[in-house]
Amino acid sequence: MDLGLTGKTALVCASSKGLGRACAMALASEGVTVTLLARGAEALLATAEAIAAATGVQVTTVVCDITTAQGRAAALAACPAPDILVTNAGGPPPGDFRDWQREDWIAALDANMLTPIELIKATVDGMQARGFGRIVNITSAAVKAPIDVLGLSNGARSGLCGFVAGLARKTVAHNVTINNLLPGPFDTDRLRTTAAAAAKASGKSVDEVLDARRRSNPAGRFGDPAEFGAACAFLCSQHAGFITGQNWLLDGGSFPGTF
Ligand code: NAD
């Protein structure tokens, strides 16, 4: 299927590794000119080189923290009028809500709710004026199936989904869609870091924790980030203009509900 994206531009946030990287690779493979960003220069440049070599498209990089106003300004200066916006940032730390202070909540809201909203605010009117736009927010399966120790993530990301649900119905008439991708367990650095923490807490080896997690998923495995990137590319395609305000769960069937 030709996704009809050749020559489009995309700003893909938090994209030196993991799910953001996979989205950037999938979009670049469809001929999209991509701007990547991350806080660390080394991994970002390596990813940019890999994507450019694999796809032949132009890749721009911005070293920045997207959760800060300066970081967003730098990203938007490099890619001021993207056709496609993929929002993403690191997830908040686990913990017990009794230990979280107001500052912890503000940090989580800044990273996982207000940063995507600021980026949408900065780009959506231009998309509407040009008659094409695709916004994809990388959130978490925890939006549908909350994880108790990830209360900061459950709360901040659900707030983003609520906001998107309203706006996405306003923009679609201009061929601008806004959707959320909800990852379950995908094989990324983040998943391995959380497995290492669980192993330490339980006295098991990291491999034992990973094996148990794989077996507990109906698919019997973790998701491949490339599968996530492909879903993102389809949502961004010319064929997906009638899909908006949706929360797509990519979790190997782990969520047990019918809907
Ligand atoms: P990852 O650790 O593999 O990659 C994260 C990327 O984000 C890196 O490129 C990192 O440099 C960049 N980054 C992090 N914070 C940033 C910031 N403030 N500014 C700029 N760049 C930043 O993580 P991942 O697995 O790809 O996860 C992406 C998102 O999806 C996270 O919010 C994570 O919580 C969420 N998520 C992941 C999974 C999973 O199984 N991998 C499951 C549920 C939710």
Side-chain angles (χ1 to χ4, degrees):
M1 183 188 284
D2 177 1
L3 299 188
L5 290 176
T6 305
K8 299 289 187 200
T9 59
L11 175 60
V12 186
C13 300
S15 45
S16 67
K17 296 180 186 171
L19 303 179
R21 182 190 201 274
C23 292
M25 181 65 93
L27 290 169
S29 301
E30 296 299 322
V32 176
T33 302
V34 290
T35 298
L36 314 184
L37 65 91
R39 286 173 301 188
E42 197 178 333
L44 182 63
L45 292 179
T47 290
E49 276 172 26
I51 291 177
T55 64
V57 305
Q58 186 191 324
V59 182
T60 303
T61 57
V62 184
V63 177
C64 70
D65 181 342
I66 198 63
T67 66
T68 66
Q70 302 92 305
R72 288 189 290 277
L76 291 165
C79 187
D83 301 307
I84 295 165
L85 168 67
V86 179
T87 76
N88 186 27
D96 186 316
F97 80 95
R98 293 169 189 82
D99 299 326
W100 294 328
Q101 307 303 319
R102 177 176 167 77
E103 297 71 46
D104 301 306
W105 276 106
I106 297 297
L109 291 169
D110 259 343
N112 299 114
M113 180 182 172
L114 300 178
T115 289
I117 291 173
E118 288 288 340
L119 290 168
I120 292 169
K121 185 177 159 188
T123 54
V124 75
D125 289 343
M127 291 176 179
Q128 289 197 157
R130 294 189 299 278
F132 179 90
R134 299 285 185 263
I135 299 174
V136 174
N137 303 300
I138 300 179
T139 69
S140 173
V143 168
K144 279 201 75 151
I147 301 165
D148 59 352
V149 294
L150 291 178
L152 291 169
S153 172
N154 302 338
R157 297 185 197 275
S158 297
L160 175 65
C161 291
F163 167 76
V164 163
L167 182 62
R169 271 84 186 177
K170 305 292 284 185
T171 61
V172 66
H174 304 276
N175 193 22
V176 177
T177 67
I178 315 179
N179 293 288
N180 306 312
L181 284 179
L182 281 50
F186 276 82
D187 197 352
T188 67
D189 281 5
R190 160 103 176 163
L191 180 135
R192 285 170 187 279
T193 307
T194 57
K200 203 172 165 192
S202 64
K204 294 181 179 152
S205 72
V206 176
D207 280 345
E208 282 174 318
V209 170
L210 289 171
D211 278 350
R213 288 194 67 184
R214 275 191 205 94
R215 277 199 308 273
S216 71
N217 188 284
R221 64 178 178 89
F222 296 134
D224 180 340
E227 296 173 301
F228 192 91
C232 176
F234 179 75
L235 269 185
C236 294
S237 75
Q238 297 279 4
H239 310 294
F242 208 54
I243 304 172
T244 199
Q246 300 304 300
N247 293 289
W248 275 17
L249 198 51
L250 284 80
D251 70 347
S254 187
F255 181 75
T258 306
F259 302 107

